[in-house]
Amino acid sequence: MEHTKRQPGKLGWRFVLLAMVLAVLISGLIRSMWLDVYYIPSASMEPLFREGDRILVSRTDFRAGPVGRGDIVVFDGRGSFAPLNSGQGPVLDFLGGVGHWIGLSGGENTFIKRIIGLPGDHVICCDGAGKLTVNGQQLAEPYLYPGDSTSEQKFSVIVPPGRLWLMGDHRSLSADSRSLLGAPGGGMVPRDRVIGRPVRIIWPLDRFTAVARPAEAATTTAKNGP
């Protein structure tokens, strides 16, 4: 009687395939619940983040406590910064999603900006010294891109409940809440659209460094947090 033998090559490929599937599933679980990787597509957050940087984003930082003024946030811009029905077709959307997932390209609906106004804040640009004021107090902004003015566009807004007023650090190159004052929602981003906080630059390697949370953020959450 002849006996059949399992071919080692087939067993090895099945093991490799199973390991790859498990790795993808575990990575997807981690990225959906705890940490994710995002690509910086523009210079709007210079000098802290440069175009082409890959950043590690914590999805849990704001679950333990509220966001604060000065915090940098990655957020879903659908319905505020991006049209609700944006898209380029199923194939291009899929390829773009894959590139975004592996950190090779930016997401069409994902943005990164700094929180300037919390719910209830009255944000004005600008006072006699050319600075932003929040609730009548001049806002110190050491993170601004060197040589940039606070804002060439004048505005006076009161942030509604559950919303955030967001601006880029490279003001002259940033399309942010200022650009959407006449749009539905007035450039205010819903708090529940915040995905997380960048905690580390992971690429390029010569810029591998932790991203500290601004000290001012911890002092403005208890009173003004959503």
Side-chain angles (χ1 to χ4, degrees):
M1 179 181 293
E2 294 183 357
H3 296 278
T4 59
K5 295 183 179 180
R6 178 171 293 178
Q7 298 180 13
K10 290 184 178 180
L11 180 61
W13 277 110
R14 289 176 182 175
F15 178 79
V16 170
L17 181 60
L18 178 61
M20 291 176 62
V21 170
L22 288 175
V24 170
L25 291 175
I26 292 171
S27 176
L29 180 63
I30 291 173
R31 294 181 66 169
S32 66
M33 298 184 66
W34 294 290
L35 294 168
D36 208 344
V37 177
Y38 285 88
Y39 171 88
I40 302 295
S42 74
S44 70
M45 285 300 294
E46 288 183 340
L48 181 57
F49 299 119
R50 299 176 186 171
E51 184 175 356
D53 283 353
R54 273 73 169 178
I55 58 173
L56 191 66
V57 175
S58 169
R59 289 178 174 268
T60 61
D61 273 32
F62 297 135
R63 294 177 187 172
V67 297
R69 192 180 306 120
D71 271 327
I72 300 172
V73 292
V74 172
F75 62 97
D76 182 344
R78 287 176 296 178
S80 56
F81 275 47
L84 281 172
N85 297 317
S86 63
Q88 304 177 53
V91 175
L92 291 178
D93 285 349
F94 173 76
L95 293 175
V98 171
H100 175 55
W101 196 84
I102 62 178
L104 293 178
S105 63
E108 289 294 324
N109 300 314
T110 307
F111 301 83
I112 180 169
K113 301 294 177 188
R114 189 182 296 272
I115 297 176
I116 301 298
L118 295 167
D121 281 348
H122 187 189
V123 186
I124 297 176
C125 178
C126 292
D127 65 6
K131 304 296 183 182
L132 286 181
T133 64
V134 179
N135 304 324
Q137 300 295 315
Q138 191 177 91
L139 186 65
E141 298 192 280
Y143 42 75
L144 283 183
Y145 186 81
D148 264 11
S149 63
T150 303
S151 176
E152 294 296 330
Q153 182 177 353
K154 310 303 180 185
F155 57 85
S156 176
V157 296
I158 297 177
V159 185
R163 299 268 175 162
L164 303 169
W165 177 265
L166 305 175
M167 297 174 71
D169 292 352
H170 197 166
R171 296 284 159 80
S172 61
L173 292 181
S174 178
D176 46 43
S177 290
R178 297 170 296 165
S179 307
L180 299 161
L181 280 170
M188 314 288 184
V189 175
R191 166 63 181 86
D192 59 12
R193 290 287 188 175
V194 171
I195 295 170
R197 184 181 77 83
V199 293
R200 180 171 291 274
I201 300 171
I202 60 174
W203 186 266
L205 293 179
D206 62 351
R207 287 174 44 72
F208 186 85
T209 184
V211 179
R213 188 179 185 189
E216 64 182 306
T219 65
T220 58
T221 54
K223 181 178 180 181
N224 296 317

